Amino acid sequence: MDAYDTGSDARQGPDDGPREPEGGAEPRAALPPSSTPPLPPYGDPPPPLDPLAEPRTGVAALSLRYQIGAALALAIVAVTVCVHLGMTFLHVAPANAVTKQHGAAIDDWIYPEFEQNWKLFAPNPLQQNIAIQVRAQVLDADGTVRTTGWYDLSAEDGRAIDGNLLPSHTQQNELRRAWDFFVATHGTDNRPVGLRGALSETYLRRIVVMRLDRDDAAGPGPGGSVERVQVRSRTTNVRPPKWSQEQVSDKPVHRELPWWSVTPADLPGGDR
């Protein structure tokens, strides 16, 4: 046997297995396995993931086409809001060069849905309750003529609005605007002033005739017809608060209009 093969310090061959470290040295730690995911068998490798990136939410999560659509919708809404605020301000502001030149366009935008009931710089809002009432002369089937009592049309509208979360524009403003139109085109003697006086009379008369038909004023039996109507306003001052020293009369004031004859065109479904 060769001398190199004997003894405890004899070298071991490559197939003798691993050798223990000399001098009691610590064994080296094994390298961790690679964290890179394996590549897919086909196609290009996926892009590296950024662990610090946050997922996109809201509009940013949409595709480019939908982002453009959302931006256009927001721009339209913003422009509409700005135009509406500008129109409302010009409507309630005192008369100026802009309202004089573009008054018709402002009114077309505001009326009827965005009407303002008080002016921006008015120190005293309306302090009166104005009720519109009507009575009729009815021709019965037997040829007798009778006069009905007063129908409080404003009270009827008030009862329809009270407790209604979505009252109609007709219930809120039709009768009131018709009376305001009449007062603005007539003097205190109830005579028309200007060319729109006759139009305001026709408008108010047709409204009250329609309301009387709804209330069945020509009844109770069949064959009756409304021949003439008379309209009046009942104005009552609003009482001031208890801490105010202002004194106002609580007596109602009436303004009676002359009797108007009802034409076939005034009847519901009549020829215009």
Side-chain angles (χ1 to χ4, degrees):
M1 176 181 290
D2 187 59
Y4 292 100
D5 296 333
T6 61
S8 61
D9 295 330
R11 293 183 180 179
Q12 298 178 358
D15 297 334
D16 294 335
R19 293 167 30 181
E20 294 292 334
E22 297 181 0
E26 295 290 338
R28 290 183 295 179
L31 295 178
S34 175
S35 60
T36 304
L39 297 179
Y42 299 102
D44 297 333
L49 300 177
D50 186 0
L52 300 180
E54 297 182 357
R56 297 187 301 176
T57 59
V59 178
L62 301 175
S63 62
L64 179 60
R65 181 177 62 180
Y66 288 104
Q67 288 182 6
I68 295 176
L72 290 176
L74 292 176
I76 293 174
V77 172
V79 171
T80 303
V81 171
C82 292
V83 171
H84 177 69
L85 292 178
M87 290 291 190
T88 304
F89 176 80
L90 292 174
H91 174 68
V92 300
N96 52 69
V98 178
T99 56
K100 291 179 180 179
Q101 184 175 358
H102 303 286
I106 296 174
D107 291 342
D108 291 341
W109 180 276
I110 293 297
Y111 295 110
E113 297 299 336
F114 306 114
E115 178 187 2
Q116 306 297 312
N117 293 330
W118 57 279
K119 298 297 182 180
L120 181 62
F121 300 102
N124 291 318
L126 187 63
Q127 299 179 356
Q128 294 176 330
N129 289 325
I130 302 177
I132 309 303
Q133 302 173 343
V134 62
R135 63 178 178 177
Q137 286 186 351
V138 178
L139 177 63
D140 291 329
D142 57 1
T144 60
V145 178
R146 59 183 175 88
T147 302
T148 66
W150 291 100
Y151 290 82
D152 195 335
L153 304 183
S154 297
E156 293 178 0
D157 287 345
R159 288 191 294 268
I161 295 173
D162 189 21
N164 189 350
L165 297 179
L166 297 173
S168 69
H169 179 73
T170 301
Q171 295 169 339
Q172 298 179 80
N173 297 318
E174 181 186 53
L175 186 62
R176 179 180 61 84
R177 292 298 306 277
W179 179 255
D180 291 343
F181 185 25
F182 178 87
V183 173
T185 56
H186 286 73
T188 56
D189 57 354
N190 297 326
R191 293 186 177 182
V193 178
L195 300 178
R196 304 180 69 188
L199 177 62
S200 65
E201 290 182 7
T202 303
Y203 182 53
L204 181 60
R205 184 174 64 251
R206 290 180 177 177
I207 289 177
V208 299
V209 170
M210 178 185 63
R211 299 291 184 90
L212 289 172
D213 181 74
R214 185 185 306 171
D215 292 336
D216 196 19
S225 61
V226 176
E227 298 295 317
R228 297 201 303 168
V229 295
Q230 185 181 28
V231 181
R232 76 174 182 181
S233 65
R234 185 177 186 271
T235 303
T236 307
N237 292 321
V238 177
R239 292 184 178 182
K242 296 181 179 180
W243 48 261
S244 175
Q245 298 180 355
E246 183 181 2
Q247 300 293 329
V248 297
S249 175
D250 57 354
K251 183 179 180 180
V253 178
H254 295 90
R255 177 178 177 177
E256 291 189 0
L257 306 185
W259 285 93
W260 291 333
S261 297
V262 177
T263 64
D266 299 327
L267 300 176
D271 296 333
R272 297 292 189 263

